[in-house]
Amino acid sequence: MFCISGAVFAQEKHILSGYVRDATSGEELIGATVYSPEMKTGTATNQYGFYSLTLPAGKHKILYQYLGYKPVSMEITLDRDVRKDIEMNPSSRNLEEVIVSGQTADYQVRSAEMGTNRLIPQDIRTVPVLFGEQDVLKTMQLLPGIAAVGEGNSGFYVRGGDASQNLVLLDEAPVYNASHLLGFFSVFNSDAIKDVKILKGFIPPQYGGRLASVLDIKMKEGNSKKLSGAGGLGLISSRLQLEGPFHKGKGSFMVTGRRTYADLFLKVLPDTNVNSNVLFFYDFNAKANYRISEKDRIYLSGYLGRDVFKFRKFFGIDWGNQTLSVRWNHLFSGRLFVNTSLIYSNYNYNFNIINEENKFDLFSSIRDINWKEDFQFYPSSGHTLRFGFKVNYHWFMPGEVSSSGDFPVNNLKMETRYALENAFYISHEWKVSSGITLHYGARLSSFSVMGPAHIYYYNERGDVTDTTWYPRHNIIKTYWNIDPRLLVNIKTGSHSSLKLSYTRMHQYLHLLSNSTSGTPLDLWIPSSTIVKPQTSNQISAGYFHNFHENSWELSLEAYYKNMAHQIDYKNGADIFLNELVESQLVFGSGQAYGMELLVRKNKGLFHGWVSYTLARSLRNFKDINQGKTYPAKQDRIHDISLVGIYDLNNKWSFSATWVYYTGNAVTFPSGKYVIEYQYVNYYTERNGYRMPPYHRLDLGATWQLNPEKNFRSSLNFSIYNVYARKNAYSISFQSKEDDPRITEAVKIYLFSIVPTVTYNFKF
Amino acid sequence: MKRLIPLYSVLLILLFNACEEVVNIPLRNTVPGVVIEGSVTTLPGPYKVIMSQTTDYYNPGMIKHLSGALVFVKDSEGHYWYFQEKKQGLYENSQFTGIPGLTYHLQIEWNRHVYTASSVMQEPVPIDSLHVQFFPGSRFADAGYFIIIYFTDPPGKGNYYRIKMMRGEKTNTVIYVLDDQLTDGNQIPFYLYGASYQPGDTAIVELQSIDRGVYEYLLTLSTVTSSSQPGSTSTPANPTTNLSGGALGYFGALAISRDTVIIE
């Protein structure tokens, strides 16, 4: 009898679930591992810090681990389902053993993820940067497969895709234009950021809507233990952040602001043409959360940012994003976690010319409203099911012009476009055996273009041949797509694994912008009868190995990706305020392939990483380059980054980065001729040349002024482009001013050596 | 509106104090291409067709002109004019004047190749007035006088213009083209910032009414010439020609109004 009941008892299983938090700030920790060494089973916390682990009844030793935190070991008796919330302490700075990421560094080997990189604020803070402005997007560009759009630019290309093929999420809200000031700064104020994750290879089914990558940024929840703050005074901007608890720690909040004052320097200049210009941007992030009960928690987060530029008294332009997310976490049980989100996102710009009595105004925007349900179900040990849906309504307002006075421009209101984007997904993460983990699933998506709208049909030349009117709520066209996703993790040794994956993506929104330099005049258009959704298929394989007790990490990944329905412009395309913008486009295909190597040292006084990318990105358009395949502008071949950080003592730390990459593919002339009284360049092939190779060394040093005090402050010194290489920003081919017969190549470079000091504080 | 983007890049140069430097970039040499530039106008001739060749980019020498071509212009009423070679690569005819509403066809036979193009002569649009304004100068341009042209766009979209400026005999190379998509039927003041005049100069301004093919050529030509300016980031390409047969350049029927102002 006892034996039998004993056997039954042994099979009985219970759930251990809860949250993992930082002991000093109360912030939930994302991706902390929860592990039972005896059962050799474990899990990781989700993006809200929640975990659920099914274990046989009985006593268990549970190990909680997280990057840069002291591990917590717990004896837990599971005689029923147990809720256990854990607080972990950051590891103190021990000079003998500085740990950047703790033992959970073997995450890259074990996880059912690949082509994924994470950055924690610590990484962002220690790397030297231009003008001392810490920037998530720029630090991210030091990782393999992620390339900077240009000198000092926060825009990025992932695995041969273009910048508009990256889905940028801030607390789940899409950010349509992630750059400030021509792209020199990103809209993400690093003080407000808790976690950054970029997915460029295997993209789990809960994500979709862009071809190349998903950049998932989480804002801090706010310190739930005590009121604290941080800030900084920099050469071109200042920041201030405040966070703290309310209602006895049941809730917490965080607010951050940042403003640049570069234009104040212009005022000093004597030239009235320069000093009357206005140029600045600001960001404001705010977040609050409240625990209604043990099982319910609500979050409210928002972002508001704006750039303002006034060119003397001639014209002004201002642009920016607004996002708002309301989320509700609910635990149905220890096994079922649900998040409901309502999300709003808006990007708009205003352009105006004021000329005494006369006015000209142009307004354009894209707006999104989103409803999402995400379920995470932990049926039994080794299984995680995720499923959910998304309903997303888009408004595209391409342009509205109003003018008054003598301005010769007619008032114009371009038709607003409406679209409904829906998705349903399911995925299963399954530890098949001790050596094999599967992560598979699919995303079913639909995209409907809705009336009221005029739909135009064009001939070869781009003339309108027919027009159809669709009244309000009529569906003009619906696309349905199913995107399968699959990842296999095969353990090849105690510290190594081999991973294979397949990812298919669809993109229904397309960015038209004639320029790469992050001008605010972005125009997003929906898929339509003429513009087909962009599609990609990516296969990738990777080998992951950790050495010396996970203090060294190595990853080597290779991928191949094809892309269909890619968009480019006709020669001389006019996309600005053009109702017939679709007639200005040409369509083609692309392919990208490459190999990425990352070697990272996570422990010791000296730590950092080496990243190397070998890649190609090619395009084929019937109407471009006589139909011959040509390299995309982001085709970069070699891209190397070295990052080294040395923590000398608790007062001083030093850092250095060096980057090298092959110049972008670019179109240069192969000859010249005379027409209209001038020399004109003769082009024979698209992107047939290369910019000169780019390389740069940056150095940084941080001096903690009072490391032991409650009010801590530090000075950060950085030198951008130490050996003052004149890296080309652009190369133009033009006639010499005094003798037009002599044509020459002229390079523009933006920065030579740029030293900066920033003062930061924290209390 | 297209000029917004270059202006924006001015900001970049201004803000970051970007620097320029002449560099040595090796370029591949290619097989020379044929270049044709010709026009018929509503003003008396002689009308010219110029044939030349492309040359290597770093070649400082003269452009080679092409001799021995058979050049004709035919109108839509069946008239035929033969263009005579006056000097190497320059073909002329002064026996006719362009008439609005007719289509002009160019045909060239050279070295066993045939090049053709056609262009519709528009109605000339009169210049209402020319105004002169003083510009005090800035970091980017010297002080001087510039001209504002006023003209009234006829009702109905589909008018295209090119504005050409001359100082005495010398033509300014800045290419101004505009359409009436946003300005249909209005009186249009157009600021000709591209040319600066000094007291005593005679400024001649031509308002050319052109057809869409010529407009597209000149528009794409102006983006290529401005994309060779610093700061431009769009991908350059050869202008969209109205010539068939693989030649560069264009053939235009130009309906011209002309006005002159003397700067005081």
Side-chain angles (χ1 to χ4, degrees):
Chain A
M1 271 304 274
F2 265 107
C3 268
I4 294 163
S5 70
V8 170
F9 184 76
Q11 276 172 4
E12 199 174 320
K13 290 188 172 175
H14 292 298
I15 309 156
L16 172 66
S17 67
Y19 288 87
V20 179
R21 301 194 175 98
D22 176 308
T24 50
S25 68
E27 287 275 339
E28 275 72 20
L29 301 176
I30 301 170
T33 54
V34 184
Y35 186 66
S36 160
E38 293 139 55
M39 303 303 299
K40 291 205 163 62
T41 185
T43 186
T45 56
N46 71 9
Q47 51 180 311
Y48 296 95
F50 176 76
Y51 72 94
S52 170
L53 189 60
T54 307
L55 293 168
K59 271 193 179 162
H60 291 276
K61 195 182 145 209
I62 303 292
L63 196 58
Y64 295 86
Q65 291 169 310
Y66 188 66
L67 315 169
Y69 284 71
K70 283 183 201 153
V72 173
S73 181
M74 282 254 164
E75 192 84 11
I76 292 167
T77 308
L78 279 181
D79 46 3
R80 60 193 160 81
D81 290 355
V82 170
R83 164 80 182 258
K84 194 83 199 165
D85 295 349
I86 295 293
E87 294 200 331
M88 296 178 75
N89 279 298
S91 49
S92 56
R93 289 171 66 95
N94 182 333
L95 287 182
E96 301 306 308
E97 174 115 327
V98 176
I99 299 173
V100 175
S101 45
Q103 290 224 308
T104 52
D106 74 338
Y107 189 73
Q108 72 142 350
V109 172
R110 288 186 299 103
S111 70
E113 285 180 349
M114 75 181 291
T116 301
N117 292 109
R118 266 185 77 195
L119 281 178
I120 50 173
Q122 195 183 342
D123 292 332
I124 302 159
R125 268 196 283 278
T126 41
V127 172
V129 282
L130 179 62
F131 299 133
E133 280 293 309
Q134 299 160 358
D135 202 312
V136 192
L137 298 189
K138 288 186 196 163
T139 308
M140 212 177 62
Q141 292 164 0
L142 299 169
L143 294 165
I146 305 162
V149 162
E151 167 86 86
N153 204 297
S154 64
F156 59 100
Y157 300 127
V158 177
R159 289 192 174 175
D162 70 38
S164 69
Q165 291 170 340
N166 302 317
L167 177 63
V168 179
L169 298 172
L170 179 64
D171 273 351
E172 297 180 33
V175 175
Y176 280 98
N177 186 335
S179 70
H180 279 306
L181 209 104
L182 299 151
F184 287 100
F185 304 97
S186 80
V187 300
F188 305 111
N189 180 344
S190 55
D191 282 346
I193 291 167
K194 170 174 170 173
D195 187 79
V196 180
K197 190 168 173 177
I198 182 151
L199 305 136
K200 54 192 180 174
F202 172 70
I203 297 179
Q206 66 258 39
Y207 297 106
R210 294 288 189 283
L211 290 198
S213 76
V214 178
L215 174 65
D216 197 356
I217 299 180
K218 304 276 174 237
M219 272 159 48
K220 278 183 186 169
E221 310 299 344
N223 195 323
S224 61
K225 304 279 179 176
K226 67 178 174 63
L227 188 69
S228 66
L233 291 170
L235 197 64
I236 64 155
S237 83
S238 282
R239 301 166 281 120
L240 187 65
Q241 186 226 28
L242 211 60
E243 53 184 314
F246 64 86
H247 206 256
K248 298 179 196 124
K250 278 192 167 175
S252 63
F253 73 93
M254 189 268 317
V255 285
T256 331
R258 169 171 72 156
R259 192 205 191 273
T260 56
Y261 32 72
D263 57 334
L264 297 182
F265 293 108
L266 298 180
K267 300 252 183 290
V268 183
L269 299 171
D271 189 340
T272 52
N273 292 311
V274 177
N275 68 15
S276 54
N277 297 326
V278 173
L279 172 75
F280 66 89
F281 70 78
Y282 60 83
D283 290 305
F284 186 70
N285 295 71
K287 191 164 178 178
N289 71 85
Y290 188 74
R291 261 171 243 154
I292 304 169
S293 72
E294 279 282 284
K295 294 188 166 175
D296 295 277
R297 190 171 183 190
I298 50 167
Y299 300 78
L300 182 70
S301 55
Y303 165 80
L304 170 72
R306 202 127 197 108
D307 280 60
V308 179
F309 170 44
K310 287 197 181 103
F311 186 71
R312 298 169 59 198
K313 289 200 173 105
F314 292 137
F315 68 87
I317 179 162
D318 60 277
W319 66 97
N321 299 281
Q322 291 124 44
T323 70
L324 186 67
S325 331
V326 183
R327 286 173 295 166
W328 170 33
N329 284 177
H330 179 70
L331 277 177
F332 279 107
S333 71
R335 285 187 205 280
L336 183 61
F337 177 94
V338 187
N339 177 59
T340 305
S341 309
L342 286 175
I343 296 157
Y344 170 79
S345 176
N346 179 354
Y347 172 75
N348 61 50
Y349 68 82
N350 252 305
F351 174 80
N352 51 69
I353 302 175
I354 301 159
N355 175 345
E356 287 150 16
E357 304 291 288
N358 311 319
K359 262 183 74 181
F360 169 86
D361 271 298
L362 163 68
F363 177 78
S364 169
S365 76
I366 174 168
R367 272 184 297 157
D368 259 31
I369 189 152
N370 244 308
W371 170 34
K372 273 175 69 192
E373 288 291 343
D374 297 289
F375 295 83
Q376 282 176 44
F377 182 53
Y378 306 87
S380 61
S381 178
H383 295 270
T384 305
L385 272 168
R386 293 185 187 85
F387 50 95
F389 63 83
K390 181 179 102 163
V391 178
N392 191 345
Y393 197 72
H394 303 282
W395 284 262
F396 303 85
M397 201 170 151
E400 191 177 336
V401 172
S402 58
S403 72
S404 60
D406 288 343
F407 245 94
V409 176
N410 297 326
N411 287 348
L412 168 81
K413 187 172 192 300
M414 292 176 68
E415 254 176 26
T416 302
R417 299 274 150 171
Y418 306 91
L420 184 64
E421 185 176 358
N422 296 323
F424 169 78
Y425 70 88
I426 182 157
S427 78
H428 181 198
E429 199 178 320
W430 177 23
K431 200 161 191 271
V432 181
S433 68
S434 61
I436 294 175
T437 306
L438 276 179
H439 191 165
Y440 65 96
R443 183 180 179 90
L444 173 71
S445 60
S446 75
F447 188 84
S448 304
V449 194
M450 319 273 285
H454 285 96
I455 295 296
Y456 301 99
Y457 299 88
Y458 305 96
N459 63 12
E460 278 278 304
R461 207 184 150 193
D463 300 316
V464 175
T465 53
D466 199 8
T467 309
T468 314
W469 164 253
Y470 290 86
R472 193 176 165 82
H473 300 314
N474 275 34
I475 291 175
I476 296 160
K477 170 93 191 166
T478 299
Y479 289 99
W480 287 93
N481 284 297
I482 187 150
D483 295 342
R485 318 273 170 90
L486 169 70
L487 177 132
V488 189
N489 178 340
I490 303 155
K491 203 172 167 186
T492 51
S494 56
H495 295 288
S496 65
S497 64
L498 180 71
K499 298 183 193 180
L500 303 165
S501 80
Y502 169 74
T503 295
R504 183 176 168 84
M505 303 291 279
H506 276 90
Q507 176 164 347
Y508 298 105
L509 310 187
H510 319 281
L511 177 65
L512 306 185
S513 162
N514 244 337
S515 153
T516 51
S517 66
T519 70
L521 306 180
D522 280 357
L523 176 67
W524 287 90
I525 61 163
S527 296
S528 67
T529 46
I530 291 168
V531 184
K532 305 275 185 301
Q534 300 180 46
T535 312
S536 74
N537 292 286
Q538 185 183 176
I539 48 167
S540 60
Y543 177 71
F544 302 84
H545 200 142
N546 284 10
F547 301 92
H548 294 283
E549 299 189 355
N550 297 319
S551 63
W552 287 82
E553 277 177 33
L554 176 144
S555 71
L556 181 66
E557 295 188 43
Y559 65 91
Y560 174 84
K561 180 158 68 171
N562 65 36
M563 291 165 269
H565 309 303
Q566 299 299 289
I567 299 175
D568 209 319
Y569 311 104
K570 282 186 181 161
N571 190 11
D574 186 4
I575 57 168
F576 191 61
L577 289 180
N578 187 350
E579 289 270 11
L580 311 177
V581 68
E582 292 182 341
S583 68
Q584 305 290 305
L585 308 177
V586 291
F587 305 99
S589 62
Q591 53 177 324
Y593 48 89
M595 190 211 80
E596 296 163 2
L597 172 73
L598 179 67
V599 178
R600 197 170 170 144
K601 184 172 184 282
N602 289 320
K603 278 188 201 173
L605 296 179
F606 181 74
H607 48 94
W609 69 84
V610 176
S611 126
Y612 170 64
T613 308
L614 174 66
R616 297 301 313 264
S617 183
L618 306 170
R619 295 292 177 274
N620 190 294
F621 282 70
K622 189 167 70 67
D623 303 298
I624 297 175
N625 207 35
Q626 297 104 44
K628 285 179 285 189
T629 299
Y630 62 92
K633 64 177 179 295
Q634 61 267 34
D635 180 56
R636 212 165 257 176
I637 311 184
H638 302 284
D639 193 332
I640 300 167
S641 304
L642 307 180
V643 178
I645 297 157
Y646 184 71
D647 292 302
L648 179 67
N649 52 37
N650 63 3
K651 276 196 183 305
W652 283 96
S653 75
F654 301 94
S655 60
T657 58
W658 185 73
V659 293
Y660 172 94
Y661 56 77
T662 313
N664 285 2
V666 65
T667 305
F668 286 160
S670 295
K672 63 179 175 184
Y673 57 99
V674 172
I675 205 153
E676 288 288 332
Y677 313 97
Q678 57 190 310
Y679 280 88
V680 176
N681 298 336
Y682 176 41
Y683 298 97
T684 51
E685 54 189 324
R686 172 73 75 106
N687 291 350
Y689 289 90
R690 294 261 160 206
M691 294 290 278
Y694 180 100
H695 54 93
R696 194 188 78 227
L697 173 72
D698 302 337
L699 294 176
T702 305
W703 179 23
Q704 297 288 343
L705 299 171
N706 38 7
E708 310 301 334
K709 301 265 173 57
N710 276 337
F711 181 91
R712 277 174 294 158
S713 57
S714 63
L715 279 173
N716 186 291
F717 305 90
S718 67
I719 305 172
Y720 182 87
N721 197 7
V722 172
Y723 52 82
R725 182 178 157 84
K726 297 168 180 175
N727 283 304
Y729 177 76
S730 69
I731 291 176
S732 54
F733 290 83
Q734 59 199 50
S735 286
K736 226 174 162 159
E737 225 164 274
D738 48 356
D739 185 357
R741 285 175 307 167
I742 303 199
T743 42
E744 54 193 14
V746 177
K747 167 174 90 173
I748 287 196
Y749 59 97
L750 295 183
F751 306 108
S752 102
I753 184 167
V754 186
T756 331
V757 184
T758 313
Y759 173 76
N760 292 308
F761 58 88
K762 212 175 168 166
F763 58 88
Chain B
M1 282 312 135
K2 287 191 190 313
R3 299 193 207 291
L4 195 72
I5 309 292
L7 256 179
Y8 201 71
S9 61
V10 163
L11 158 79
L12 192 136
I13 292 160
L14 179 142
L15 186 73
F16 297 110
N17 256 316
C19 305
E20 280 190 11
E21 188 179 276
V22 174
V23 284
N24 175 35
I25 302 280
L27 297 171
R28 292 184 282 274
N29 297 333
T30 58
V31 182
V34 170
V35 184
I36 295 168
E37 185 178 11
S39 62
V40 170
T41 73
T42 50
L43 300 180
Y47 303 139
K48 292 173 185 172
V49 172
I50 301 163
M51 279 195 79
S52 60
Q53 256 186 350
T54 65
T55 183
D56 294 339
Y57 186 78
Y58 292 116
N59 177 10
M62 298 301 286
I63 292 287
K64 189 186 168 201
H65 287 85
L66 301 178
S67 269
L70 199 57
V71 179
F72 292 99
V73 167
K74 187 179 82 175
D75 73 10
S76 47
E77 291 184 333
H79 304 103
Y80 237 84
W81 296 280
Y82 170 66
F83 279 55
Q84 263 186 332
E85 188 166 6
K86 289 279 158 172
K87 65 177 194 188
Q88 196 182 17
L90 173 68
Y91 304 83
E92 280 189 8
N93 182 300
S94 47
Q95 294 163 331
F96 70 109
T97 305
I99 299 166
L102 299 188
T103 305
Y104 291 86
H105 305 276
L106 172 75
Q107 181 162 338
I108 296 178
E109 290 172 44
W110 179 81
N111 199 14
R112 280 167 294 165
H113 287 274
V114 177
Y115 305 100
T116 59
S118 42
S119 178
V120 180
M121 186 68 79
Q122 309 294 306
E123 282 292 339
V125 172
I127 296 173
D128 296 342
S129 56
L130 295 180
H131 294 238
V132 179
Q133 214 167 68
F134 181 68
F135 176 67
S138 77
R139 187 169 160 180
F140 305 106
D142 294 332
Y145 293 86
F146 68 92
I147 291 167
I148 308 160
I149 176 176
Y150 283 79
F151 66 96
T152 307
D153 178 61
K157 285 188 184 180
N159 294 99
Y160 302 97
Y161 305 97
R162 187 248 170 112
I163 300 166
K164 198 166 166 177
M165 289 172 296
M166 283 150 278
R167 179 191 292 124
E169 289 293 290
K170 203 173 177 299
T171 301
N172 189 291
T173 56
V174 181
I175 296 167
Y176 287 114
V177 284
L178 57 156
D179 63 13
D180 62 351
Q181 289 301 312
L182 300 175
T183 53
D184 180 38
N186 298 338
Q187 192 192 47
I188 298 163
F190 197 85
Y191 290 68
L192 302 165
Y193 286 121
S196 172
Y197 295 91
Q198 300 305 325
D201 284 349
T202 303
I204 304 166
V205 179
E206 268 187 19
L207 178 65
Q208 303 181 345
S209 297
I210 51 179
D211 69 356
R212 186 167 139 189
V214 175
Y215 170 77
E216 279 182 2
Y217 178 77
L218 292 171
L219 176 73
T220 49
L221 177 66
S222 74
T223 54
V224 181
T225 53
S226 71
S227 72
S228 64
Q229 301 304 311
S232 174
T233 49
S234 60
T235 304
N238 294 325
T240 310
T241 179
N242 62 356
L243 289 156
S244 62
L248 297 156
Y250 77 111
F251 168 69
L254 319 171
I256 299 177
S257 301
R258 191 181 268 188
D259 203 353
T260 305
V261 64
I262 296 166
I263 316 290
E264 289 166 352

